[in-house]
Amino acid sequence: MEGPQQIASTKMFGGYNKRYKFQSRALGCETTFTIFFPPAASEKKVPIIYWLSGLTCTDENVFIKSGVQRPAADQGIAIIGMDTSPRGLNVEGESDSWDFGVGAGFYLNATQGKWKNWQMYDYVTKELPELLKANFSELDTSRASIFGHSMGGHGALTLYLKNPGAYKSASAFAPISNPSAVPWGKKAFSNYLGDDKSAWEAYDATCLVKNYQGPKSVEILIDQGEADGFLKEQLQPENFKKAAEAAGVPVNLRIQSGYDHSYYFISTFIEDHVMHHAKALHS
């Protein structure tokens, strides 16, 4: 695997945001990712938290808008953010809508025709961890957690549930919790995965949690804004909580009064999520 090329570096809270590009085998194109290295990374290996962003985002949004670096620096944890889809492949129709195609990979492996390069699941769970392990001696990739927002919250929950033990903990902001039952998910799944609903269920957290057999000692933290305009039609976290409780999977669903779907909401509670993961990663 060819190593990544650094394209940007900025110092923050004693650590560094560093952005990289490389040619991805999984995606069939050049892609970017960003790492926040906390100050502790200059002295020892540090654990990591993967951040999965939402629709239309890139690897940079969380680092510019959330303030995640402050608690990550305090806790000695690296944050890894990646892009949300392949880019530059010029697939017909890839940019026709904001909620599908470019910027909307849904963290799955597409099986349908022209979308075959939308292999975000393999990219996040296999290729990127291998690249990090091979190229960044500062990172302890064996100690990893995962969180995300909206489409990325969906990704964080599904990757956690589909890979028992791979992540020490999981959390989400306003996740698309039951995509098989909502417009965003139906649009993406039908195009990426076809009409077989069983294939959809393999990437639906509410379906996956019903049969989850992995560790149940660490609860899943979910924050949801009560004033989120997407809550009723697209997100449905109560479906996930109900299914998780029936399966004995601990979930802390916090409905935050007055908050919406934006990074104003995320930045308000991002420290809680880093501390949630720090407890699991440092135990």
Side-chain angles (χ1 to χ4, degrees), residues 5-24:
Q5 177 186 346
Q6 183 177 310
I7 55 177
S9 177
T10 52
K11 190 170 185 178
M12 193 173 187
F13 298 116
Y16 286 89
N17 302 304
K18 295 190 177 184
R19 196 177 192 213
Y20 302 88
K21 66 178 181 179
F22 80 106
Q23 187 68 28
S24 167

Side-chain angles (χ1 to χ4, degrees), residues 141-272:
T141 55
S142 69
R143 287 188 293 157
S145 290
I146 192 165
F147 63 161
H149 169 233
S150 194
M151 178 185 71
H154 141 77
L157 296 178
T158 56
L159 269 59
Y160 178 78
L161 295 169
K162 286 170 73 68
N163 298 276
Y167 306 101
K168 303 296 184 185
S169 51
S171 71
F173 292 89
I176 305 172
S177 302
N178 193 181
S180 296
V182 302
W184 277 343
K186 290 177 181 179
K187 180 177 181 177
F189 287 1
S190 61
N191 282 283
Y192 291 141
L193 302 172
D195 296 328
D196 181 0
K197 298 296 177 63
S198 65
W200 297 14
E201 293 177 0
Y203 294 103
D204 186 317
T206 297
C207 299
L208 288 168
V209 77
K210 295 174 182 177
N211 299 306
Y212 177 69
Q213 298 299 318
K216 299 179 181 178
S217 57
V218 179
E219 70 179 8
I220 297 170
L221 173 62
I222 298 176
D223 272 314
Q224 173 62 60
E226 172 267 335
D228 188 329
F230 300 116
L231 175 56
K232 234 174 229 189
E233 185 180 21
Q234 303 284 12
L235 306 178
Q236 302 191 359
E238 68 283 351
N239 291 1
F240 177 75
K241 181 175 174 62
K242 183 178 179 180
E245 288 178 341
V249 177
V251 174
N252 181 10
L253 172 60
R254 309 192 306 186
I255 305 298
Q256 304 291 1
S257 177
Y259 286 91
D260 61 13
H261 197 71
S262 71
Y263 268 88
Y264 297 114
F265 158 60
I266 294 170
S267 63
T268 302
F269 300 103
I270 195 76
E271 183 173 1
D272 290 357

Side-chain angles (χ1 to χ4, degrees), residues 3 32 42 60 101 105 111 114 122 127 166 188 197-198 204-205 235 252 258 267 275 279:
T32 56
S42 64
E60 293 190 287
T111 59
K114 63 184 180 181
D122 278 355
E127 185 176 25
K197 298 296 177 63
S198 65
D204 186 317
L235 306 178
N252 181 10
S267 63
M275 296 303 296
K279 184 176 179 181

